[in-house]
Amino acid sequence: MQTGTRNYAIVTAAYWGFTLTDGALRMLVLLHFYKLGYSPFTLAFLFLLYEAAGVLANLIGGWLATRYGIARMLTVGLATQITGFLLLSALSPNWTAALSVAWVVLAQGICGVAKDITKTASKSAIKLTAGEASGRLFKWVAFFTGSKNAMKGIGFFLGGLLLQLLGFQVALWVMAGLLALVLIGVVAFVPPLMGKSKASKSARELFAKNSGINLLAAARVALFGARDVWFVVGVPVFLYSAGWTFTMVGAFLALWTIGYGAMQALAPAIVRRSDDGLSREVPAARWWSLALALVPLVLAAVVVAQVDHLEWIVVGGLALFGLIFAVNSSVHSYLILAYAGSEKAAEDVGFYYAANALGRFIGTLLSGLLYQWGGLAWSLAGSAAMLLMCWLVTLALPSRRTVPPAISG
């Protein structure tokens, strides 16, 4: 096996293990604290620091991966996630509600840092292992992103299963043990200096990205905010209030995520590739985002109309949303690596995924607020508005590679 392919396989497998436990963690927290009587808005609040921490973690993680190497940052990310699991397992049922919420938010924040440091390092590794071949880069990014999301969906199942069989605390211990095995594998098999380069010397240089990266980051904020504005609170609470059980709600979220991941892996067969890597891919990002905006817009109108079998129409519509969203996300994930420079790919990817985390944070916050103010219709309308913003930003994406501005001093 060639060195690049070998390293790609190792990094992908390590991130699979991480994502499996990350998906399980979300389901553990959601189900455990909903059973304890926490309101939908409080549940959203539990995840806010998790998402907010990702903004800074991606920026710093990209800079650190460039300075110290990708393998070291994978190690740091995995070790940080294990720490977060162990802290969360120390939660006592005898604590007050305020102390419990504060403790969970803190532990979730640590896990949010771990997630985005690990993701930035892993995605940066793909740029290095795939080289400059745009066809192979698109395929490798699509498979990595799609399989990662499928593993997250499986993690939803795993979280519910572990919670039912082992309980909250022991489930977290088992997950920490699984990640410890992944950590050992990274230390043993990933080249220690992989991705190490000359990092930016100042914040100004760190943020001085080319126009493609800056615009794509803005589009990413809107894209992922548009998903989480209904995914985190709105649809799960809506389906439960319509008579669905916890198992049915969890199964839908898991199947949606697995299907979304599978569709991401198929994106290279759907979006025609160009020789220069941008002239066909950029228009695809524009049209797919516009098509996606129409789905929640129509669904919001259906919810307002209160048609028969509403929950099943919503489920079917969101399945379509997932398929189109997957192609959008996969094209974006490819474009960031196409726009990124090889020397500081980790910094470019970190900047981009900081925008991704900011979008998730905004979406998570709005998921509680919009559902509380206007129910599912408002959540879906908010999603449509953010997707229209995403489409407008993609209209300005460059179809040619640009050189970042020179930094004086």
Side-chain angles (χ1 to χ4, degrees), residues 126-196:
I126 299 175
K127 175 71 174 182
L128 297 174
T129 55
E132 297 300 324
S134 64
R136 179 168 61 176
L137 180 60
F138 198 170
K139 290 180 180 178
W140 282 16
V141 170
F143 177 78
F144 176 90
T145 307
S147 62
K148 170 272 277 194
N149 283 304
M151 292 300 292
K152 188 169 186 177
I154 296 172
F156 289 156
F157 282 116
L158 178 65
L161 180 64
L162 290 176
L163 182 62
Q164 182 175 342
L165 296 180
L166 304 177
F168 185 71
Q169 186 180 58
V170 178
L172 287 166
W173 290 345
V174 169
M175 288 158 53
L178 174 63
L179 276 190
L181 295 177
V182 175
L183 177 59
I184 293 172
V186 168
V187 172
F189 296 110
V190 178
L193 298 181
M194 181 180 179
K196 188 177 185 299

Side-chain angles (χ1 to χ4, degrees), residues 48-185:
L48 279 182
L49 187 58
Y50 173 89
E51 303 296 0
V55 179
L56 184 60
N58 275 299
L59 290 173
I60 296 178
W63 181 82
L64 290 174
T66 301
R67 181 164 184 172
Y68 297 108
I70 288 170
R72 289 184 181 177
M73 296 319 299
L74 280 174
T75 301
V76 169
L78 290 166
T80 304
Q81 182 82 327
I82 292 171
T83 301
F85 285 172
L86 294 179
L87 279 175
L88 196 55
S89 72
L91 182 70
S92 172
N94 298 322
W95 292 353
T96 65
L99 179 58
S100 297
V101 168
W103 188 266
V104 173
V105 169
L106 174 63
Q108 287 275 82
I110 292 173
C111 291
V113 171
K115 173 186 176 180
D116 286 294
I117 285 179
T118 307
K119 179 166 66 176
T120 297
S122 300
K123 281 287 181 74
S124 303
I126 299 175
K127 175 71 174 182
L128 297 174
T129 55
E132 297 300 324
S134 64
R136 179 168 61 176
L137 180 60
F138 198 170
K139 290 180 180 178
W140 282 16
V141 170
F143 177 78
F144 176 90
T145 307
S147 62
K148 170 272 277 194
N149 283 304
M151 292 300 292
K152 188 169 186 177
I154 296 172
F156 289 156
F157 282 116
L158 178 65
L161 180 64
L162 290 176
L163 182 62
Q164 182 175 342
L165 296 180
L166 304 177
F168 185 71
Q169 186 180 58
V170 178
L172 287 166
W173 290 345
V174 169
M175 288 158 53
L178 174 63
L179 276 190
L181 295 177
V182 175
L183 177 59
I184 293 172

Side-chain angles (χ1 to χ4, degrees), residues 225-291:
R227 181 199 66 177
D228 283 3
V229 74
W230 61 260
F231 188 86
V232 175
V233 171
V235 166
V237 173
F238 167 77
L239 293 177
Y240 182 73
S241 65
W244 286 38
T245 64
F246 282 132
T247 302
M248 293 170 66
V249 174
F252 169 69
L253 295 179
L255 290 173
W256 189 93
T257 307
I258 292 170
Y260 153 60
M263 191 66 179
Q264 279 185 307
L266 295 175
I270 298 172
V271 178
R272 295 179 61 193
R273 295 186 301 276
S274 58
D275 293 336
D276 60 15
L278 291 177
S279 59
R280 288 176 182 163
E281 292 82 352
V282 170
R286 295 167 182 161
W287 290 114
W288 282 98
S289 60
L290 180 60

Side-chain angles (χ1 to χ4, degrees), residues 367-393:
S367 69
L369 291 175
L370 290 179
Y371 191 83
Q372 183 170 323
W373 290 340
L376 185 61
W378 279 40
S379 298
L380 292 168
S383 177
M386 297 188 79
L387 287 169
L388 288 174
M389 291 170 57
C390 175
W391 170 66
L392 289 173
V393 172

Side-chain angles (χ1 to χ4, degrees), residues 15-81:
Y15 197 59
W16 281 354
F18 181 93
T19 305
L20 186 68
T21 60
D22 186 64
L25 174 65
R26 179 172 287 266
M27 192 56 62
L28 275 172
V29 172
L30 184 67
L31 292 179
H32 179 69
F33 289 97
Y34 194 89
K35 285 168 60 179
L36 292 178
Y38 286 64
S39 69
F41 182 75
T42 304
L43 290 174
F45 181 78
L46 292 178
F47 292 100
L48 279 182
L49 187 58
Y50 173 89
E51 303 296 0
V55 179
L56 184 60
N58 275 299
L59 290 173
I60 296 178
W63 181 82
L64 290 174
T66 301
R67 181 164 184 172
Y68 297 108
I70 288 170
R72 289 184 181 177
M73 296 319 299
L74 280 174
T75 301
V76 169
L78 290 166
T80 304
Q81 182 82 327

